[in-house]
Amino acid sequence: MNLTSVMENLTLATNHSDCFSVDSASRRRSFLFFYLAIIITAIPSNAFSLYVSWQHIRQKNELGVYLFNLALSDLTFTVGLSLWLDFLWRGVWAHGGYICVLSVYFLFTNFYTSDALLCCIALDRYLAVVHPLKYTSLRKVGTAAAVSVAIWVLVICFNASTITWEDSYQENNKIPVCFDTFLPMSENLARANVVRFFLGFIVPILLVVFSTWGICVAVKSNQATEEQERKRILRLLTVVLFCVLFCFGPIHIMMLLRTLVHCTDVVWFLYAYKFSIAISSLNCLADPFLYCFITRAGQANVNQLILFFQGKQRSKNKGVV
C-alpha cells in the first residue's frame, strides 16, 4: 500500500469519527430542556384531545376520527421522547440497538401519520364546504375509520422497509449512538430520504394548499356562510397548513440535503439537522390546538373545563373564608 492510499484511509477514518463526535454536551442539554417542556405540555393536552375527539365521534362526526388518531399518534411519540431525554443527558445510547430502532420507528411513524391525517382533515373540510352534497359517502365515520387504518398500515409498512439497524444505531469507538449516525449514508437511506421528501412533504403541501384555496374561494362566494363560521374554517386550515409547512418542512429539507452533505461538512449540518427534528416535534403541541381551540366541540369542552376549575377554586376560597 502506497503513502497516498494510507493518507486517504486515515482521512476517511478521521472524517468518519468526526461524524459521530461533533455534538457538544452544552448543545445536547439545550435540546434536553426543550424536549422536556414538550413532554410536560403535550401529554396532558393530547390526553384531553383524545376526550374531545371522542365527543366528535359520538356525535357521528367524521372529523373526530382523524382528530382521535392524531392525538393517539402524538401521545405515542411523546411518551417515547423519554428515551431521547436520557440519550441527550448521557451523550450515549444506553438502551441497545433494538430499542434505538424502535424509537426511530416511532419518530417517523408520528411524522407521516400526522402528515397524512392533517391532509385528510383539510380534504374533509374541502368536501364539506365546496361539495356539501356531492361526496357525502366520503364524509362518514366508517369511511374516516377505514382511511385512518389504511394510513397506519401504509406508514408502518413504509417505515419497516426503510428504517434499518445500520442507519439508526452504531457504536463508534465503543460509544453507542442512536440516530446520530449521519455518514457515510447508505443507498437505502438516500433513496428513502428522497421518497420522504416528495411523499411526506411536497404532496401534503400541495393537497393542503389546494384544499385551502378551494375553501377560501367557496366561502367568499357563498354569502349564506356566517362571518364567524368563515373565520373558524379559515383558522382550522391555517393551523393545518402551519403544521405541514413549519413542523414538517425543515426536517424534510434537511433529509434531502443530507444526501448531498460530505463528512467534512457535518459540524454545521449536525446541529441544523437536530434543530429541524426539534421543530418537527412541535406538531405534538400544534395538533391539540386543532381540537381544543378551533373546532366547536373542542371549544365547548375547553369552556366546560375552565368553568369546572373556576367552580372548584370558588369552593376552595369559600372554605378558606
Side-chain angles (χ1 to χ4, degrees):
M1 183 180 291
N2 57 34
L3 180 60
T4 303
S5 299
V6 172
M7 291 302 294
E8 286 177 353
N9 290 338
L10 179 60
T11 301
L12 288 173
T14 302
N15 288 343
H16 187 271
S17 178
D18 288 343
C19 290
F20 297 92
S21 59
V22 293
D23 204 16
S24 65
S26 60
R27 291 198 298 194
R28 287 200 314 270
R29 298 291 166 81
S30 63
F31 284 110
L32 186 150
F33 293 117
F34 176 82
Y35 286 122
L36 181 60
I38 287 181
I39 290 175
I40 293 173
T41 309
I43 289 180
S45 63
N46 279 288
F48 181 67
S49 298
L50 281 176
Y51 169 76
V52 173
S53 55
W54 181 248
Q55 301 306 309
H56 279 270
I57 297 174
R58 291 181 61 185
Q59 296 170 7
K60 303 299 181 182
N61 187 338
E62 79 284 353
L63 186 63
V65 177
Y66 299 127
L67 296 175
F68 185 89
N69 281 276
L70 261 179
L72 187 62
S73 175
D74 289 340
L75 269 178
T76 303
F77 168 69
T78 306
V79 171
L81 273 181
S82 58
L83 294 174
W84 293 101
L85 293 182
D86 179 72
F87 177 39
L88 291 170
W89 179 260
R90 295 170 182 258
V92 296
W93 185 263
H95 307 288
Y98 291 106
I99 300 299
C100 169
V101 174
L102 188 63
S103 65
V104 175
Y105 198 87
F106 282 154
L107 173 70
F108 282 102
T109 298
N110 172 257
F111 280 176
Y112 299 115
T113 52
S114 295
D115 221 3
L117 289 166
L118 288 170
C119 289
C120 289
I121 291 173
L123 290 172
D124 179 80
R125 294 301 87 191
Y126 171 81
L127 294 177
V129 174
V130 181
H131 305 288
L133 303 176
K134 193 173 181 181
Y135 299 102
T136 54
S137 61
L138 297 178
R139 296 179 46 243
K140 293 182 178 180
V141 171
T143 303
V147 170
S148 298
V149 170
I151 287 172
W152 281 99
V153 171
L154 289 173
V155 170
I156 288 172
C157 291
F158 177 76
N159 286 338
S161 63
T162 55
I163 296 174
T164 64
W165 181 293
E166 293 76 14
D167 295 325
S168 304
Y169 178 80
Q170 288 194 22
E171 293 185 6
N172 184 54
N173 296 327
K174 302 300 181 181
I175 299 176
V177 180
C178 181
F179 201 51
D180 283 348
T181 55
F182 287 94
L183 297 166
M185 178 178 287
S186 67
E187 292 185 6
N188 174 73
L189 183 57
R191 288 193 297 266
N193 282 355
V194 173
V195 174
R196 286 167 181 161
F197 177 78
F198 286 100
L199 294 184
F201 179 58
I202 298 299
V203 172
I205 281 293
L206 293 176
L207 288 175
V208 174
V209 169
F210 167 78
S211 302
T212 304
W213 177 259
I215 290 175
C216 287
V217 172
V219 167
K220 287 181 179 179
S221 61
N222 188 359
Q223 300 298 324
T225 305
E226 297 180 0
E227 184 66 22
Q228 185 176 2
E229 181 68 10
R230 292 183 186 182
K231 292 181 178 179
R232 188 184 65 81
I233 294 172
L234 292 178
R235 282 200 304 269
L236 174 66
L237 290 178
T238 299
V239 174
V240 171
L241 186 59
F242 170 83
C243 288
V244 176
L245 186 60
F246 179 77
C247 294
F248 298 119
I251 181 61
H252 284 92
I253 292 173
M254 295 305 293
M255 284 182 189
L256 192 64
L257 290 177
R258 184 178 170 186
T259 62
L260 308 173
V261 171
H262 298 288
C263 197
T264 52
D265 300 323
V266 79
V267 174
W268 68 265
F269 185 82
L270 176 63
Y271 191 72
Y273 189 77
K274 286 190 172 184
F275 188 72
S276 67
I277 296 174
I279 291 176
S280 68
S281 65
L282 289 174
N283 85 91
C284 293
L285 301 180
D287 290 342
F289 191 80
L290 287 171
Y291 338 120
C292 298
F293 300 104
I294 294 179
T295 62
R296 290 172 178 172
Q299 290 175 338
N301 281 279
V302 169
N303 291 334
Q304 290 176 2
L305 188 65
I306 293 173
L307 291 174
F308 172 76
F309 282 110
Q310 285 180 343
K312 289 193 68 174
Q313 186 64 35
R314 291 194 191 98
S315 300
K316 183 178 179 180
N317 293 337
K318 288 180 180 178
V320 172
V321 175

